[in-house]
Amino acid sequence: DGGITQSPKYLFRKEGQNVTLSCEQNLNHDAMYWYRQDPGQGLRLIYYSQIVNDFQKGDIAEGYSVSREKKESFPLTVTSAQKNPTAFYLCASRVQGARETEAFFGQGTRLTVV
Amino acid sequence: AQSVSQHNHHVILSEAASLELGCNYSYGGTVNLFWYVQYPGQHLQLLLKYFSGDPLVKGIKGFEAEFIKSKFSFNLRKPSVQWSDTAEYFCAVTYSSASKIIFGSGTRLSIRP
């Protein structure tokens, strides 16, 4: 089955610790995205990548980092510099270079800082 | 800046009522427009999309949306809602000049049985 897998589904982190969220896709998509979803604020773009070994900051990149070493994988690290990391994180992918194609989403990771 | 606005944050309707959710986007040249739905506990999925041609687009589950270029709008409609339409709805846009997808703040739809 083709799709996007995010893990873990729930994640708890102590303040001051970095944590990495996994996102893997087997759709052969070049473009991948990380969004943060907070109640009443919709989906806000953290980082996106259009090709392996390249990525761009989105609107709220501060306190986050990413890597794109493989086409299938786009992990997101929430660093201790992120002031309010408790949120629902969504990963997406889509065909690059075709603006009319839609994004496909994973099930999300709910991160809670304790 | 490129942006999408959804003015209705929470809409409450009774079953069989008609639905219209507003979506406006900022000017940025050629656009593609999308409506996504997030049912409770499920991942986001595409309802419908517009990229060219007929401005009236039909999607899944009886939803449709109309692209009105002069108003920078892409409102979502359904003639008769069901309890199962309870979900959060997101409007999104891509511009020809960028790869990123910009989402609105979402509209939570609650249907009274």
Side-chain angles (χ1 to χ4, degrees):
Chain A
D1 254 342
I4 301 178
T5 302
Q6 289 186 244
S7 60
K9 193 172 180 180
Y10 299 97
L11 189 55
F12 295 87
R13 187 197 92 175
K14 290 184 181 177
E15 277 194 41
Q17 288 181 339
N18 292 358
V19 64
T20 297
L21 282 58
S22 169
C23 178
E24 304 276 332
Q25 55 99 0
N26 60 4
L27 299 167
N28 200 33
H29 288 165
D30 284 305
M32 295 188 74
Y33 306 80
W34 274 106
Y35 290 90
R36 172 180 169 140
Q37 184 178 7
D38 296 284
Q41 298 194 58
L43 277 67
R44 292 182 291 167
L45 183 63
I46 305 172
Y47 269 98
Y48 64 107
S49 168
Q50 299 176 67
I51 197 167
V52 173
N53 292 324
D54 187 45
F55 46 83
Q56 288 79 41
K57 291 182 179 180
D59 301 315
I60 55 165
E62 187 176 345
Y64 299 98
S65 66
V66 292
S67 62
R68 188 83 188 277
E69 296 175 3
K70 298 187 299 181
K71 188 176 184 178
E72 304 80 27
S73 179
F74 190 42
L76 173 74
T77 297
V78 184
T79 74
S80 56
Q82 169 47 235
K83 289 182 171 48
N84 185 21
T86 294
F88 190 54
Y89 292 87
L90 285 166
C91 180
S93 72
R94 72 175 184 137
V95 174
Q96 172 58 24
R99 58 182 174 85
E100 69 270 16
T101 61
E102 69 268 29
F104 292 83
F105 285 84
Q107 295 272 19
T109 293
R110 187 166 298 280
L111 172 65
T112 303
V113 174
V114 296
Chain B
Q2 296 167 341
S3 64
V4 177
S5 297
Q6 291 182 246
H7 308 295
N8 314 107
H9 297 295
H10 188 193
V11 172
I12 303 173
L13 294 172
S14 297
E15 275 195 310
S18 64
L19 169 73
E20 181 160 3
L21 302 182
C23 172
N24 289 92
Y25 63 94
S26 60
Y27 174 75
T30 305
V31 294
N32 289 107
L33 294 149
F34 307 83
W35 275 99
Y36 287 85
V37 61
Q38 189 176 37
Y39 296 105
Q42 296 188 27
H43 64 278
L44 263 84
Q45 54 188 283
L46 184 73
L47 266 182
L48 48 78
K49 65 181 179 181
Y50 169 81
F51 55 94
S52 67
D54 189 344
L56 185 61
V57 178
K58 294 196 184 301
I60 61 171
K61 304 189 181 187
F63 286 92
E64 64 178 31
E66 185 174 12
F67 171 54
I68 303 180
K69 192 174 180 180
S70 60
K71 294 184 178 180
F72 302 100
S73 72
F74 189 56
N75 292 355
L76 181 71
R77 301 195 292 247
K78 186 170 183 179
S80 175
V81 294
Q82 302 171 307
W83 180 80
S84 58
D85 292 324
T86 295
E88 190 149 19
Y89 293 81
F90 295 93
C91 182
V93 63
T94 59
Y95 295 89
S96 60
S97 59
S99 174
K100 59 184 182 179
I101 311 166
I102 300 170
F103 283 83
S105 56
T107 297
R108 185 156 65 98
L109 176 64
S110 300
I111 306 296
R112 291 188 290 249

PDB file of all heavy atoms in Angstrom, chain B residues 3 8 13 17 29 36-37 43 48-50 54 56 58-59 62 64 66 69-70 78 106-107:
ATOM      1  N   SER B   3      -1.503  34.245   1.111  1.00  0.00           N
ATOM      2  CA  SER B   3      -2.247  33.758   2.272  1.00  0.00           C
ATOM      3  C   SER B   3      -3.614  33.261   1.854  1.00  0.00           C
ATOM      4  O   SER B   3      -4.089  33.549   0.752  1.00  0.00           O
ATOM      5  CB  SER B   3      -2.395  34.871   3.316  1.00  0.00           C
ATOM      6  OG  SER B   3      -3.175  35.926   2.784  1.00  0.00           O
ATOM      7  N   ASN B   8     -15.068  31.576   8.567  1.00  0.00           N
ATOM      8  CA  ASN B   8     -15.912  30.853   9.513  1.00  0.00           C
ATOM      9  C   ASN B   8     -15.041  29.902  10.319  1.00  0.00           C
ATOM     10  O   ASN B   8     -14.469  28.987   9.768  1.00  0.00           O
ATOM     11  CB  ASN B   8     -16.981  30.032   8.768  1.00  0.00           C
ATOM     12  CG  ASN B   8     -17.666  30.833   7.683  1.00  0.00           C
ATOM     13  OD1 ASN B   8     -17.439  30.623   6.491  1.00  0.00           O
ATOM     14  ND2 ASN B   8     -18.496  31.761   8.104  1.00  0.00           N
ATOM     15  N   LEU B  13     -24.720  23.329  12.116  1.00  0.00           N
ATOM     16  CA  LEU B  13     -25.908  23.189  11.275  1.00  0.00           C
ATOM     17  C   LEU B  13     -26.709  21.967  11.697  1.00  0.00           C
ATOM     18  O   LEU B  13     -26.164  21.038  12.302  1.00  0.00           O
ATOM     19  CB  LEU B  13     -25.506  23.021   9.805  1.00  0.00           C
ATOM     20  CG  LEU B  13     -24.819  24.200   9.120  1.00  0.00           C
ATOM     21  CD1 LEU B  13     -24.324  23.778   7.739  1.00  0.00           C
ATOM     22  CD2 LEU B  13     -25.748  25.391   9.016  1.00  0.00           C
ATOM     23  N   ALA B  17     -29.536  20.770   6.294  1.00  0.00           N
ATOM     24  CA  ALA B  17     -29.313  22.188   5.982  1.00  0.00           C
ATOM     25  C   ALA B  17     -28.290  22.309   4.867  1.00  0.00           C
ATOM     26  O   ALA B  17     -27.490  21.398   4.626  1.00  0.00           O
ATOM     27  CB  ALA B  17     -28.836  22.933   7.221  1.00  0.00           C
ATOM     28  N   GLY B  29      -0.964  35.599  -8.897  1.00  0.00           N
ATOM     29  CA  GLY B  29      -0.851  35.040 -10.234  1.00  0.00           C
ATOM     30  C   GLY B  29      -1.714  33.798 -10.370  1.00  0.00           C
ATOM     31  O   GLY B  29      -2.760  33.665  -9.748  1.00  0.00           O
ATOM     32  N   TYR B  36      -9.547  20.399   1.697  1.00  0.00           N
ATOM     33  CA  TYR B  36      -9.252  19.159   2.396  1.00  0.00           C
ATOM     34  C   TYR B  36     -10.214  19.016   3.565  1.00  0.00           C
ATOM     35  O   TYR B  36     -10.688  20.008   4.125  1.00  0.00           O
ATOM     36  CB  TYR B  36      -7.824  19.173   2.958  1.00  0.00           C
ATOM     37  CG  TYR B  36      -6.738  19.014   1.927  1.00  0.00           C
ATOM     38  CD1 TYR B  36      -6.258  20.121   1.223  1.00  0.00           C
ATOM     39  CD2 TYR B  36      -6.168  17.767   1.664  1.00  0.00           C
ATOM     40  CE1 TYR B  36      -5.244  19.977   0.287  1.00  0.00           C
ATOM     41  CE2 TYR B  36      -5.151  17.623   0.734  1.00  0.00           C
ATOM     42  CZ  TYR B  36      -4.702  18.744   0.053  1.00  0.00           C
ATOM     43  OH  TYR B  36      -3.696  18.600  -0.869  1.00  0.00           O
ATOM     44  N   VAL B  37     -10.433  17.777   3.969  1.00  0.00           N
ATOM     45  CA  VAL B  37     -11.285  17.508   5.117  1.00  0.00           C
ATOM     46  C   VAL B  37     -10.533  16.612   6.099  1.00  0.00           C
ATOM     47  O   VAL B  37      -9.752  15.748   5.698  1.00  0.00           O
ATOM     48  CB  VAL B  37     -12.615  16.846   4.693  1.00  0.00           C
ATOM     49  CG1 VAL B  37     -12.389  15.505   4.006  1.00  0.00           C
ATOM     50  CG2 VAL B  37     -13.544  16.669   5.888  1.00  0.00           C
ATOM     51  N   HIS B  43      -6.720  11.159   9.007  1.00  0.00           N
ATOM     52  CA  HIS B  43      -5.777  12.060   8.366  1.00  0.00           C
ATOM     53  C   HIS B  43      -6.487  12.972   7.368  1.00  0.00           C
ATOM     54  O   HIS B  43      -7.623  12.697   6.974  1.00  0.00           O
ATOM     55  CB  HIS B  43      -4.678  11.252   7.661  1.00  0.00           C
ATOM     56  CG  HIS B  43      -5.179  10.393   6.545  1.00  0.00           C
ATOM     57  ND1 HIS B  43      -5.745   9.155   6.751  1.00  0.00           N
ATOM     58  CD2 HIS B  43      -5.211  10.592   5.200  1.00  0.00           C
ATOM     59  CE1 HIS B  43      -6.081   8.640   5.604  1.00  0.00           C
ATOM     60  NE2 HIS B  43      -5.772   9.478   4.640  1.00  0.00           N
ATOM     61  N   LEU B  48     -11.761  18.143  -3.002  1.00  0.00           N
ATOM     62  CA  LEU B  48     -11.806  18.559  -4.400  1.00  0.00           C
ATOM     63  C   LEU B  48     -10.682  19.543  -4.669  1.00  0.00           C
ATOM     64  O   LEU B  48     -10.063  20.053  -3.744  1.00  0.00           O
ATOM     65  CB  LEU B  48     -13.166  19.188  -4.746  1.00  0.00           C
ATOM     66  CG  LEU B  48     -13.741  20.243  -3.807  1.00  0.00           C
ATOM     67  CD1 LEU B  48     -13.088  21.597  -3.996  1.00  0.00           C
ATOM     68  CD2 LEU B  48     -15.247  20.374  -3.994  1.00  0.00           C
ATOM     69  N   LYS B  49     -10.466  19.799  -5.968  1.00  0.00           N
ATOM     70  CA  LYS B  49      -9.421  20.743  -6.349  1.00  0.00           C
ATOM     71  C   LYS B  49      -9.796  21.440  -7.644  1.00  0.00           C
ATOM     72  O   LYS B  49     -10.533  20.909  -8.472  1.00  0.00           O
ATOM     73  CB  LYS B  49      -8.074  20.037  -6.504  1.00  0.00           C
ATOM     74  CG  LYS B  49      -8.020  19.027  -7.633  1.00  0.00           C
ATOM     75  CD  LYS B  49      -6.642  18.358  -7.702  1.00  0.00           C
ATOM     76  CE  LYS B  49      -6.598  17.327  -8.830  1.00  0.00           C
ATOM     77  NZ  LYS B  49      -5.282  16.642  -8.897  1.00  0.00           N
ATOM     78  N   TYR B  50      -9.254  22.634  -7.815  1.00  0.00           N
ATOM     79  CA  TYR B  50      -9.411  23.386  -9.053  1.00  0.00           C
ATOM     80  C   TYR B  50      -8.027  23.753  -9.565  1.00  0.00           C
ATOM     81  O   TYR B  50      -7.199  24.299  -8.824  1.00  0.00           O
ATOM     82  CB  TYR B  50     -10.220  24.665  -8.825  1.00  0.00           C
ATOM     83  CG  TYR B  50     -10.173  25.570 -10.026  1.00  0.00           C
ATOM     84  CD1 TYR B  50     -11.008  25.337 -11.114  1.00  0.00           C
ATOM     85  CD2 TYR B  50      -9.247  26.610 -10.096  1.00  0.00           C
ATOM     86  CE1 TYR B  50     -10.930  26.134 -12.245  1.00  0.00           C
ATOM     87  CE2 TYR B  50      -9.168  27.402 -11.220  1.00  0.00           C
ATOM     88  CZ  TYR B  50     -10.011  27.174 -12.294  1.00  0.00           C
ATOM     89  OH  TYR B  50      -9.921  27.944 -13.415  1.00  0.00           O
ATOM     90  N   ASP B  54     -13.520  24.564 -16.056  1.00  0.00           N
ATOM     91  CA  ASP B  54     -14.806  24.879 -15.430  1.00  0.00           C
ATOM     92  C   ASP B  54     -14.593  25.338 -13.991  1.00  0.00           C
ATOM     93  O   ASP B  54     -14.016  24.605 -13.191  1.00  0.00           O
ATOM     94  CB  ASP B  54     -15.695  23.642 -15.465  1.00  0.00           C
ATOM     95  CG  ASP B  54     -17.132  23.932 -15.039  1.00  0.00           C
ATOM     96  OD1 ASP B  54     -17.388  25.002 -14.434  1.00  0.00           O
ATOM     97  OD2 ASP B  54     -17.993  23.073 -15.295  1.00  0.00           O
ATOM     98  N   LEU B  56     -16.656  25.624 -11.645  1.00  0.00           N
ATOM     99  CA  LEU B  56     -17.466  24.865 -10.698  1.00  0.00           C
ATOM    100  C   LEU B  56     -16.911  23.436 -10.644  1.00  0.00           C
ATOM    101  O   LEU B  56     -16.960  22.708 -11.624  1.00  0.00           O
ATOM    102  CB  LEU B  56     -18.929  24.864 -11.117  1.00  0.00           C
ATOM    103  CG  LEU B  56     -19.893  24.205 -10.129  1.00  0.00           C
ATOM    104  CD1 LEU B  56     -19.875  24.925  -8.784  1.00  0.00           C
ATOM    105  CD2 LEU B  56     -21.308  24.174 -10.694  1.00  0.00           C
ATOM    106  N   LYS B  58     -16.693  19.677  -8.825  1.00  0.00           N
ATOM    107  CA  LYS B  58     -17.414  18.728  -7.985  1.00  0.00           C
ATOM    108  C   LYS B  58     -16.408  17.767  -7.329  1.00  0.00           C
ATOM    109  O   LYS B  58     -15.447  17.328  -7.964  1.00  0.00           O
ATOM    110  CB  LYS B  58     -18.431  17.952  -8.810  1.00  0.00           C
ATOM    111  CG  LYS B  58     -19.545  18.858  -9.334  1.00  0.00           C
ATOM    112  CD  LYS B  58     -20.745  18.094  -9.815  1.00  0.00           C
ATOM    113  CE  LYS B  58     -21.791  19.034 -10.408  1.00  0.00           C
ATOM    114  NZ  LYS B  58     -22.262  20.046  -9.447  1.00  0.00           N
ATOM    115  N   GLY B  59     -16.664  17.462  -6.046  1.00  0.00           N
ATOM    116  CA  GLY B  59     -15.767  16.578  -5.338  1.00  0.00           C
ATOM    117  C   GLY B  59     -16.495  15.359  -4.802  1.00  0.00           C
ATOM    118  O   GLY B  59     -17.583  15.023  -5.247  1.00  0.00           O
ATOM    119  N   GLY B  62     -20.625  14.611  -2.425  1.00  0.00           N
ATOM    120  CA  GLY B  62     -21.618  15.626  -2.747  1.00  0.00           C
ATOM    121  C   GLY B  62     -21.161  17.062  -2.578  1.00  0.00           C
ATOM    122  O   GLY B  62     -21.961  17.996  -2.697  1.00  0.00           O
ATOM    123  N   GLU B  64     -19.124  20.535  -3.586  1.00  0.00           N
ATOM    124  CA  GLU B  64     -18.693  21.266  -4.760  1.00  0.00           C
ATOM    125  C   GLU B  64     -18.116  22.604  -4.317  1.00  0.00           C
ATOM    126  O   GLU B  64     -18.334  23.050  -3.180  1.00  0.00           O
ATOM    127  CB  GLU B  64     -19.844  21.492  -5.744  1.00  0.00           C
ATOM    128  CG  GLU B  64     -20.957  22.367  -5.203  1.00  0.00           C
ATOM    129  CD  GLU B  64     -22.059  22.588  -6.240  1.00  0.00           C
ATOM    130  OE1 GLU B  64     -22.293  21.695  -7.075  1.00  0.00           O
ATOM    131  OE2 GLU B  64     -22.674  23.652  -6.192  1.00  0.00           O
ATOM    132  N   GLU B  66     -16.857  26.656  -6.032  1.00  0.00           N
ATOM    133  CA  GLU B  66     -16.831  27.535  -7.198  1.00  0.00           C
ATOM    134  C   GLU B  66     -15.668  28.507  -7.084  1.00  0.00           C
ATOM    135  O   GLU B  66     -15.527  29.226  -6.081  1.00  0.00           O
ATOM    136  CB  GLU B  66     -18.132  28.309  -7.319  1.00  0.00           C
ATOM    137  CG  GLU B  66     -18.190  29.152  -8.592  1.00  0.00           C
ATOM    138  CD  GLU B  66     -19.530  29.819  -8.798  1.00  0.00           C
ATOM    139  OE1 GLU B  66     -20.351  29.832  -7.850  1.00  0.00           O
ATOM    140  OE2 GLU B  66     -19.752  30.332  -9.911  1.00  0.00           O
ATOM    141  N   LYS B  69     -12.720  34.153  -9.808  1.00  0.00           N
ATOM    142  CA  LYS B  69     -11.432  34.832  -9.917  1.00  0.00           C
ATOM    143  C   LYS B  69     -11.519  36.294  -9.482  1.00  0.00           C
ATOM    144  O   LYS B  69     -10.632  36.799  -8.798  1.00  0.00           O
ATOM    145  CB  LYS B  69     -10.932  34.738 -11.358  1.00  0.00           C
ATOM    146  CG  LYS B  69      -9.488  35.148 -11.551  1.00  0.00           C
ATOM    147  CD  LYS B  69      -9.047  34.888 -12.983  1.00  0.00           C
ATOM    148  CE  LYS B  69      -7.598  35.285 -13.191  1.00  0.00           C
ATOM    149  NZ  LYS B  69      -7.153  35.038 -14.581  1.00  0.00           N
ATOM    150  N   SER B  70     -12.595  36.968  -9.861  1.00  0.00           N
ATOM    151  CA  SER B  70     -12.731  38.394  -9.550  1.00  0.00           C
ATOM    152  C   SER B  70     -12.850  38.660  -8.061  1.00  0.00           C
ATOM    153  O   SER B  70     -12.569  39.761  -7.586  1.00  0.00           O
ATOM    154  CB  SER B  70     -13.951  38.967 -10.269  1.00  0.00           C
ATOM    155  OG  SER B  70     -15.127  38.293  -9.846  1.00  0.00           O
ATOM    156  N   LYS B  78     -22.415  22.464  -0.055  1.00  0.00           N
ATOM    157  CA  LYS B  78     -23.108  21.176  -0.103  1.00  0.00           C
ATOM    158  C   LYS B  78     -24.580  21.462   0.136  1.00  0.00           C
ATOM    159  O   LYS B  78     -24.924  22.155   1.099  1.00  0.00           O
ATOM    160  CB  LYS B  78     -22.557  20.207   0.946  1.00  0.00           C
ATOM    161  CG  LYS B  78     -23.149  18.807   0.826  1.00  0.00           C
ATOM    162  CD  LYS B  78     -22.438  17.791   1.690  1.00  0.00           C
ATOM    163  CE  LYS B  78     -23.030  16.406   1.464  1.00  0.00           C
ATOM    164  NZ  LYS B  78     -22.369  15.346   2.261  1.00  0.00           N
ATOM    165  N   GLY B 106      -8.794  26.872   8.826  1.00  0.00           N
ATOM    166  CA  GLY B 106      -9.736  25.776   9.022  1.00  0.00           C
ATOM    167  C   GLY B 106     -11.091  26.234   9.538  1.00  0.00           C
ATOM    168  O   GLY B 106     -11.217  27.263  10.208  1.00  0.00           O
ATOM    169  N   THR B 107     -12.110  25.447   9.210  1.00  0.00           N
ATOM    170  CA  THR B 107     -13.467  25.665   9.710  1.00  0.00           C
ATOM    171  C   THR B 107     -13.959  24.357  10.313  1.00  0.00           C
ATOM    172  O   THR B 107     -13.964  23.336   9.634  1.00  0.00           O
ATOM    173  CB  THR B 107     -14.422  26.097   8.591  1.00  0.00           C
ATOM    174  OG1 THR B 107     -14.003  27.342   8.058  1.00  0.00           O
ATOM    175  CG2 THR B 107     -15.842  26.224   9.140  1.00  0.00           C
TER     176      THR B 107
END
